[in-house]
Amino acid sequence: MFRKISAFLIATAFVAVTVGASSITTARTTETKESVRAPINIAILIQDDLISRVGNELGVTREFIRGLPEGSRVMVGYITTGTLQVRQPFTTDLNRAANSLRIPIASTSASAYNPYVEVIEAMKKFDSSWRGQKAVLLISDGLDTSRGFDATAAGHTLDIDRTIGEANRRDISIYSFYAPSVGLTSSSHLAASYGQSSLNRVTHDTGGKAFFQGSTGFVTFDSYFDRLRRELNRVS
């Protein structure tokens, strides 16, 4: 009798655990990501000398673009060797914008030296008559070496100040995803910290937000895009 009761209790516990695990799996499967609710005008700018792993994030970036609400306008550009390469001018064709993304060059030959000058150039392409939120998503290491590397000036260079002033004048919020480049920020904690501090100031002072984790580590953009969607909905 004791053996029968023990076997029954074990079987009952196994069923309970199985059902519980099944419920958790179902909940995770049915969970949906938050979507951007209102049409947005957004320029997505990618620094061309970021490490090659950034190329693995094109899929989730395309998903973000295609998931924007109808009526959104998207521009895609690459910051490379001191210039802004516009791959796709502003368009309401979200699929076309998504397809314009390419893998970054991931070479020091494409180093931007200063991403902020090209951010200013991109903001000049926004139409002031457009309604709705205007934003820039800057995927960059944030490092400005155009005038040398001075860690004491992190977040307070002339071009950063100009970027903030231009963004506020045009009512454009800047958001950023940090990723290290193949240059200094992939090997120097100090350089990575400098870049992140710069991105943090530019985004904070324009009403946006900077997303990064650790000083030199790299994580996928999935969680960044989830948080970006929430931020965009919060201010829309």
Side-chain angles (χ1 to χ4, degrees), residues 54-74:
V54 173
N56 298 332
E57 305 308 307
L58 293 186
V60 70
T61 307
R62 291 190 181 104
E63 179 185 332
F64 169 77
I65 294 173
R66 291 181 178 131
L68 293 173
E70 184 178 354
S72 295
R73 297 179 181 87
V74 179

Side-chain angles (χ1 to χ4, degrees), residues 87 103 167 172:
R87 291 274 295 178
I103 296 174
I172 298 172

